[in-house]
Amino acid sequence: MDVETLDIVIVGAGISGINAAYRVKTELPQHSFAVLERRAEVGGTWSFWKYPGFRTDSAMSLFGFAWNPWASDLNMAPGPLINKYIEDSVDAAGLSKAIRLGHRLVSADWSNEEQRWTLRVDVTGADGTVDTRLIKAWWVIFTTGYYSYEKPLPAVIPGIDRFQGRVVHPQFWDQSLDYAGKRVVIIGSGATAITLVPAMAETAGSVTMLQRTPSFVMTLPAHDALYGSLSRLLPSSWARQLHWWIRMILETLFVLYLRAFPASGRAYLLSEMRRQLPKGFEVERHFNPWYNPFEQRLCFCPAGDFFQALHRPGVRVVTDVIDTVTEAGIRLKSGAVLDADVIVTATGLYFSLLSTAAIRVDGEAINDTLGNRYIWNGSMLEGMPNAGLLTGYTTATWTPGADVRTKQLLKVIRHMDRTGAAAAAPCLDPAERARLGDNPAITLSSTYIRSAIGRIPKVGDRRPWVFGSCWAVDMWRYLTSDVRQGMKFWGSR
């Protein structure tokens, strides 16, 4: 079997992978690289999900790439438009030749003797045949996100097998499903449910969002007036860059305010929701969560479409616990019955890092020990040489977090280029490990995160074992950090 040799391999061609590819191409032009994408198209999340109304829940001015800013005043774009934007960004950056579609990473084995990764890749041809190829890579950068494409979060719904109507999960939406005039019950209260309600209410006979616990929901304008004003006053490139900085400052301050003053933040969010909901709506019951703002992800809706939907006859929110699903609907613990023709199980994601590939370091399996490893500056895993693990923010806009972590990773590679080191891995001695504590990198109280605690890497409370959630702080850490702190370098190229 022929073996290809590359300097850097990026796994995943979603928004994080495309961003990493651009940074590698522009900041490490001397290194060969490729992007492996197991699906037949780029876009990751944005080409995968197909449920009605699928869109981002972040403002596109920040969710887009800093190097190719979103050039529209549309604030929260639908999935197909985001995917088109990603494709256009790939073309604009000249990344197409580096992206290999239909390439699924099966395994990655690090050899300290070779000081290289051996990647086993299944390549699906145009005729559907699968060939296995080997790639020797100096560095591997994982940008596959943090959820499984193959399965959702397992949810125990008593009696669901008895239901005589249709059951569909948003992650595997059947686009042939006709719900016009049907009674729909959406189980869930997260971003997916908040998106589905107004989209399905357009044609469904009735829509009920059944939630066990409430969420905070906040409205963003459908169109960004600030971008429109700046684009009229300034050259396009200036307007987009200035707009990005203004929005980043505003988001940072907003998140800091809600987290520093949760009681005030809660009061503000409740007052905004109460203003948009029908008169007499039980806001305290249905939209006043037990947790503080940003302890779970804050849900956003464009132009208040979710709240507007609740003004429609037949659209409602029910906060209760399922007793059992019957042949014709759902019976609740309170004794109430929800009649249904369609049940949508928007019950969450299955947390999964490193995709489905088997990762080994000198024969030691990494996948099953993620919960015992610390994250180094948000970008590498303890004891995993020449490998990046890049994700974005979960309590703020994803892309700025992915970008600053990519920069931190490339700073390590540039140091290795200068010094001639062949390998680098974050290292902790037992004494320091004992001082760091035992905190998961992601502290959201969402069910899908709580159920995955054993699979989430750890973080400490000091550099470099941190996993920040604020772009300004993380950028300062990137600019002032010493890559030698907490890092072991060895060998020579």
Side-chain angles (χ1 to χ4, degrees):
M1 185 182 299
D2 292 337
V3 179
E4 181 182 9
T5 299
L6 290 167
D7 291 336
I8 300 170
V9 169
I10 298 166
V11 184
I15 201 161
S16 302
I18 298 305
N19 183 73
Y22 174 83
R23 295 299 182 196
V24 168
K25 179 182 178 181
T26 55
E27 298 181 28
L28 301 174
Q30 73 277 24
H31 288 295
S32 59
F33 77 98
V35 182
L36 307 184
E37 169 55 53
R38 64 177 171 173
R39 299 175 62 240
E41 56 186 330
V42 302
T45 289
W46 305 103
S47 61
F48 176 73
W49 295 72
K50 306 293 183 184
Y51 65 80
F54 176 55
R55 56 162 174 78
T56 179
D57 60 351
S58 299
M60 285 303 302
S61 53
L62 293 181
F63 193 78
F65 301 115
W67 43 270
N68 186 34
W70 176 255
S72 167
D73 68 350
L74 187 63
N75 219 7
M76 300 173 70
L81 274 187
I82 298 174
N83 199 50
K84 178 65 165 55
Y85 163 71
I86 293 173
E87 292 173 344
D88 291 345
S89 297
V90 166
D91 292 339
L95 295 172
S96 298
K97 291 182 179 179
I99 298 173
R100 303 180 184 183
L101 302 176
H103 282 57
R104 184 175 75 89
L105 180 64
V106 178
S107 63
D109 288 87
W110 169 264
S111 167
N112 200 41
E113 182 180 354
E114 292 184 61
Q115 294 176 333
R116 286 263 168 183
W117 289 93
T118 298
L119 311 181
R120 184 173 293 272
V121 181
D122 279 352
V123 181
T124 302
D127 59 355
T129 58
V130 178
D131 295 323
T132 299
R133 299 178 189 173
L134 295 181
I135 300 174
K136 295 284 188 180
W138 182 44
W139 269 80
V140 180
I141 302 175
F142 293 92
T143 61
T144 50
Y146 66 91
Y147 71 88
S148 169
Y149 278 44
E150 284 74 27
K151 61 180 179 180
L153 178 71
V156 177
I157 303 176
I160 192 70
D161 293 336
R162 294 205 304 267
F163 184 58
Q164 297 299 302
R166 290 291 302 276
V167 178
V168 60
H169 193 283
Q171 191 165 338
F172 310 108
W173 192 267
D174 181 356
Q175 293 184 280
S176 68
L177 174 65
D178 181 9
Y179 54 86
K182 302 290 180 64
R183 296 166 299 179
V184 177
V185 175
I186 300 168
I187 302 174
S189 60
T192 302
I194 300 302
T195 302
L196 280 165
V197 168
M200 298 189 78
E202 292 289 334
T203 55
S206 67
V207 175
T208 300
M209 188 177 93
L210 172 59
Q211 60 181 14
R212 185 172 51 190
T213 55
S215 296
F216 291 113
V217 185
M218 184 174 176
T219 290
L220 286 181
H223 295 271
D224 193 323
L226 175 61
Y227 175 78
S229 299
L230 291 174
S231 61
R232 287 191 295 270
L233 296 172
L234 299 169
S236 177
S237 60
W238 292 14
R240 284 182 285 181
Q241 290 295 332
L242 180 58
H243 185 241
W244 189 92
W245 279 101
I246 292 173
R247 287 302 178 203
M248 175 53 69
I249 292 169
L250 291 175
E251 177 179 276
T252 299
L253 293 175
F254 178 68
V255 173
L256 289 175
Y257 160 67
L258 287 186
R259 301 196 78 164
F261 305 101
S264 175
R266 179 185 295 271
Y268 167 73
L269 292 171
L270 287 174
S271 68
E272 284 297 294
M273 289 187 285
R274 187 174 289 108
R275 180 177 61 81
Q276 297 173 81
L277 287 163
K279 188 175 180 179
F281 195 94
E282 294 182 89
V283 178
E284 295 290 334
R285 174 174 174 78
H286 300 304
F287 291 104
N288 189 16
W290 58 267
Y291 56 86
N292 287 324
F294 284 115
E295 287 180 1
Q296 292 188 21
R297 189 168 176 86
L298 182 62
C299 296
F300 290 94
C301 62
D305 64 350
F306 172 75
F307 299 111
Q308 291 173 21
L310 292 174
H311 285 264
R312 290 173 174 261
V315 181
R316 58 178 174 161
V317 174
V318 173
T319 304
D320 208 329
V321 177
I322 295 174
D323 178 36
T324 188
V325 178
T326 67
E327 289 81 359
I330 300 175
R331 186 170 68 242
L332 304 174
K333 292 286 188 182
S334 64
V337 174
L338 305 178
D339 295 328
D341 303 303
V342 178
I343 294 177
V344 182
T345 54
T347 48
L349 304 168
Y350 182 81
F351 187 92
S352 176
L353 292 173
L354 302 177
S355 187
T356 58
I359 315 298
R360 293 176 287 264
V361 173
D362 282 332
E364 180 189 357
I366 298 295
N367 306 68
D368 297 334
T369 62
L370 291 176
N372 297 323
R373 297 174 184 272
Y374 281 82
I375 287 184
W376 181 89
N377 277 325
S379 59
M380 294 181 70
L381 277 178
E382 173 198 2
M384 196 166 161
N386 290 22
L389 178 59
L390 302 177
T391 59
Y393 293 142
T394 55
T395 56
T397 303
W398 177 274
T399 315
D403 191 38
V404 71
R405 291 165 182 169
T406 301
K407 288 176 176 290
Q408 184 71 61
L409 184 68
L410 268 53
K411 189 173 181 179
V412 176
I413 300 177
R414 285 195 298 270
H415 177 81
M416 296 173 73
D417 284 340
R418 289 193 304 270
T419 61
C427 252
L428 262 172
D429 63 55
E432 186 176 9
R433 173 182 283 273
R435 290 194 299 268
L436 283 178
D438 190 22
N439 302 306
I442 302 175
T443 57
L444 295 180
S445 59
S446 308
T447 300
Y448 78 100
I449 295 296
R450 294 202 310 269
S451 67
I453 288 299
R455 303 191 302 276
I456 299 176
K458 302 179 187 300
V459 292
D461 56 0
R462 68 199 74 178
R463 293 187 185 190
W465 311 105
V466 291
F467 192 67
S469 58
C470 173
W471 181 84
V473 174
D474 285 348
M475 180 57 73
W476 175 251
R477 286 177 180 146
Y478 157 69
L479 293 172
T480 60
S481 65
D482 183 346
V483 296
R484 297 169 297 180
Q485 185 181 9
M487 185 74 65
K488 177 184 176 183
F489 296 93
W490 71 94
S492 59
R493 295 193 71 194

